[in-house]
Amino acid sequence: MTREDEMKEAAAAAADEAESGMDKLRCLLLTRGYNGIMQFGRLFRISDDDGSHTLNQEELTEALNNFGLELSEDEVTEIFSSMDEDGTGSVNYDEFLDKLRPELTEDRTAIVLEAYDKLDQSGDGMVTLEDVKGHYDASNHPKVLAGEMSEDDVLTKFLGRFEGTTKTDGQVTKEEFLEYYSGVSKSIDEDEYFVEMMKSAWKL
């Protein structure tokens, strides 16, 4: 069983024992794996047609249903009310996702951001296909050698790992990168191990 599988099982068990709607939602998203919260975040972002970065309770309910999460009406109301502190009837979904994301310690956050900055060659706050080309040579990938995929296809698929499955656009934001690694972090108890894993993976 992989670390991710172990995390999914632990999250499913924790969801049944959750003391609040927000805790239950966090656990349910982690049962989807490392990128569960990231996928949920993308669902908000691609639905934000007017760029308001906000959602009301009806939109939150719709998002939860579209994502296949089973929460009662009372639990959704509790979640929304806990976020809508000023009583305006809308919440900023970036702040909402920040509260959902499992907490990263200072050391873990620093190493994740260091990896992101290394990838973001242009420094524009967005990791793109061109940025990744500076770090990865896909020419020897088995599917490229077999003529099944192009080098760009392989690199786009790699980026998609950090974007989730709701939509892939070949661009990874810093928030998406943090959301992905907050899931990974949840399955690793020791800070030192997490930091060493990141250093090895990204040659930091």
Side-chain angles (χ1 to χ4, degrees):
M1 182 181 291
T2 66
R3 283 182 176 271
E4 186 171 18
D5 290 334
E6 291 173 355
M7 183 196 70
K8 289 179 181 178
E9 286 194 0
D16 293 334
E17 304 296 327
E19 296 183 357
S20 71
M22 185 66 86
D23 286 341
K24 183 176 181 179
L25 175 57
R26 182 182 296 111
C27 291
L28 288 175
L29 290 171
L30 288 172
T31 65
R32 302 294 184 92
Y34 292 154
N35 59 4
I37 292 175
M38 179 180 59
Q39 291 175 12
F40 192 56
R42 286 196 64 79
L43 187 63
F44 286 159
R45 294 183 181 106
I46 64 178
S47 301
D48 185 20
D49 294 331
D50 62 1
S52 66
H53 288 251
T54 63
L55 68 159
N56 57 36
Q57 186 168 336
E58 182 179 347
E59 290 169 332
L60 174 61
T61 301
E62 183 180 354
L64 292 169
N65 290 336
N66 288 340
F67 209 64
L69 298 178
E70 296 184 4
L71 289 158
S72 69
E73 185 176 341
D74 287 344
E75 287 171 332
V76 176
T77 298
E78 177 198 338
I79 291 168
F80 190 84
S81 297
S82 70
M83 288 297 300
D84 185 20
E85 296 175 352
D86 56 5
T88 61
S90 64
V91 299
N92 179 288
Y93 63 67
D94 286 327
E95 293 175 2
F96 181 78
L97 292 168
D98 282 343
K99 289 197 174 183
L100 267 182
R101 184 188 301 149
E103 186 174 355
L104 286 166
T105 65
E106 186 175 337
D107 287 345
R108 296 189 189 205
T109 300
I111 198 70
V112 171
L113 293 178
E114 185 178 343
Y116 187 85
D117 288 341
K118 180 178 180 180
L119 274 177
D120 182 16
Q121 292 283 292
S122 63
D124 62 358
M126 189 78 69
V127 171
T128 65
L129 193 61
E130 293 304 314
D131 289 322
V132 175
K133 284 179 179 178
H135 290 281
Y136 292 93
D137 178 7
S139 61
N140 291 317
H141 190 282
K143 291 194 174 182
V144 173
L145 294 175
E148 297 175 14
M149 297 176 71
S150 69
E151 292 181 43
D152 281 2
D153 289 338
V154 170
L155 294 174
T156 299
K157 185 175 182 180
F158 170 78
L159 283 177
R161 168 186 178 190
F162 302 101
E163 293 185 276
T165 58
T166 51
K167 182 185 178 184
T168 54
D169 57 10
Q171 297 180 330
V172 180
T173 66
K174 188 172 291 187
E175 288 74 19
E176 288 170 340
F177 203 69
L178 281 167
E179 283 161 14
Y180 176 82
Y181 275 110
S182 70
V184 175
S185 175
K186 188 67 176 176
S187 69
I188 297 174
D189 293 332
E190 299 295 329
D191 279 4
E192 184 177 349
Y193 181 88
F194 180 88
V195 170
E196 288 305 314
M197 177 208 70
M198 290 295 295
K199 286 181 177 179
S200 175
W202 296 105
K203 296 179 173 58
L204 299 173

